[in-house]
Amino acid sequence: MILDISMWIWIPLALAIVLAFINQTKASFALLGITLIGAIIEQRLNMVGLAGIATGLLVAYKTPSLEKKWQLGAYLFIFLWCIALFLHLIPGFNNAKVLDAVVTGPLSVPFTLYLNLDKPLILFGLLLAYPALLGSKANLNKKALIYTAIPLFSLLPLAWGLGALKPEFTIPNWWWLFALNNLLLTCVAEEAFFRGFIQQSLSKRFGWIAGVAVASVLFGAAHIGGGLLLAVFATLAGVGYGLAFHYSSRLWVAVAFHFLFNFIHLVFFTYPIMK
């Protein structure tokens, strides 16, 4: 593991994300401000990157109050801003490399892990631009969630049967770092964008089946860099996460399903998926 004192800035960021999910918006954005100031001080962010963040957040803040004729353009801007953050296209960020070419076990292939500062900002932009992002307080359909979980988690043994994974029970000493990063910085950002924003927006206009389908295909396409097989499995997993969101009406449930899927993959199978 590669850890240094400058990484303290991810602590208030993690707390900001947790507070956002329990509707403590003011405290959440205050901690985000501390994170960004700290990132400037620790040289994890420069003024160019800060300008890119400020622009996106300002447009997001203004979007809900715009006239309908201007909202579409604003949402398109937010969509592209989120894509740029996902792909690390906004300059000025110095994300921290914390794992360098590590393996979970002798059968796995090396992978590298970064603590990203840019990608988690997607949550905060979407919270401002799309107030319904976190879902509603509708009753949980527990039976439907169980029926969703069974085929979703069956994708891992299916990948084994297709030769993309092998069983390998390992608990690496950096599991906690993977878990925190994957839960708060990866799954939250991806679920906020694909389920909270895209799926929910499309579901309200075209119905929930279309919303789940389109969001899942886009989620799979986002993983095409890992190979066609990964993109296919990501699409199928996206259907599971989408159904978890649909049957719970809570974004945190989709995040939990996503994280559990990734963590089970890490502990019980070779990681990452083979191309």
Side-chain angles (χ1 to χ4, degrees):
M1 288 185 291
I2 309 169
L3 300 175
D4 63 62
I5 193 65
S6 72
M7 295 179 191
W8 70 266
I9 61 175
W10 276 272
I11 297 174
L13 176 60
L15 292 174
I17 292 168
V18 172
L19 288 175
F21 272 84
I22 58 175
N23 294 311
Q24 299 298 313
T25 307
K26 291 182 179 179
S28 176
F29 277 90
L31 284 170
L32 177 62
I34 292 172
T35 299
L36 297 177
I37 293 170
I40 292 287
I41 294 171
E42 298 292 352
Q43 298 184 344
R44 292 290 178 183
L45 177 69
N46 65 27
M47 298 308 293
V48 174
L50 184 61
I53 296 169
T55 301
L57 293 179
L58 179 60
V59 173
Y61 175 73
K62 290 291 186 180
T63 296
S65 61
L66 291 175
E67 295 181 27
K68 292 293 184 180
K69 62 181 180 179
W70 300 113
Q71 269 193 344
L72 181 59
Y75 278 123
L76 177 60
F77 176 87
I78 296 300
F79 179 88
L80 295 175
W81 182 73
C82 290
I83 295 295
L85 289 171
F86 269 125
L87 299 178
H88 312 296
L89 296 178
I90 296 178
F93 290 87
N94 179 21
N95 292 318
K97 182 190 290 186
V98 291
L99 297 176
D100 188 11
V102 297
V103 292
T104 58
L107 299 179
S108 295
V109 296
F111 77 101
T112 299
L113 181 68
Y114 285 84
L115 289 180
N116 290 316
L117 183 61
D118 44 3
K119 188 173 179 179
L121 297 175
I122 290 169
L123 170 69
F124 299 97
L126 291 178
L127 278 171
L128 293 173
Y130 194 70
L133 184 76
L134 299 180
S136 67
K137 295 182 179 179
N139 290 331
L140 288 166
N141 189 334
K142 296 179 181 178
K143 182 179 289 187
L145 287 174
I146 293 172
Y147 289 149
T148 296
I150 293 171
L152 171 63
F153 293 105
S154 296
L155 288 175
L156 291 168
L158 176 60
W160 170 26
L162 294 174
L165 299 175
K166 295 179 181 178
E168 184 175 52
F169 178 74
T170 54
I171 305 178
N173 60 6
W174 40 262
W175 69 268
W176 60 274
L177 184 59
F178 174 92
L180 289 173
N181 175 79
N182 196 259
L183 175 61
L184 295 176
L185 305 186
T186 299
C187 293
V188 164
E190 292 181 358
E191 292 309 304
F193 183 66
F194 288 102
R195 255 58 67 176
F197 181 46
I198 295 177
Q199 177 179 318
Q200 200 167 192
S201 299
L202 293 175
S203 294
K204 289 178 178 178
R205 187 173 180 84
F206 302 107
W208 72 268
I209 294 177
V212 170
V214 173
S216 300
V217 170
L218 291 175
F219 182 69
H223 290 77
I224 195 65
L228 181 59
L229 187 59
L230 176 59
V232 171
F233 272 93
T235 300
L236 296 174
V239 172
Y241 309 147
L243 291 175
F245 183 52
H246 171 68
Y247 289 124
S248 69
S249 299
R250 292 161 173 83
L251 186 64
W252 70 262
V253 175
V255 171
F257 270 57
H258 192 162
F259 168 70
L260 286 173
F261 185 91
N262 289 347
F263 195 69
I264 290 171
H265 179 186
L266 176 79
V267 173
F268 292 99
F269 295 91
T270 50
Y271 190 92
I273 195 168
M274 300 176 186
K275 293 185 180 182

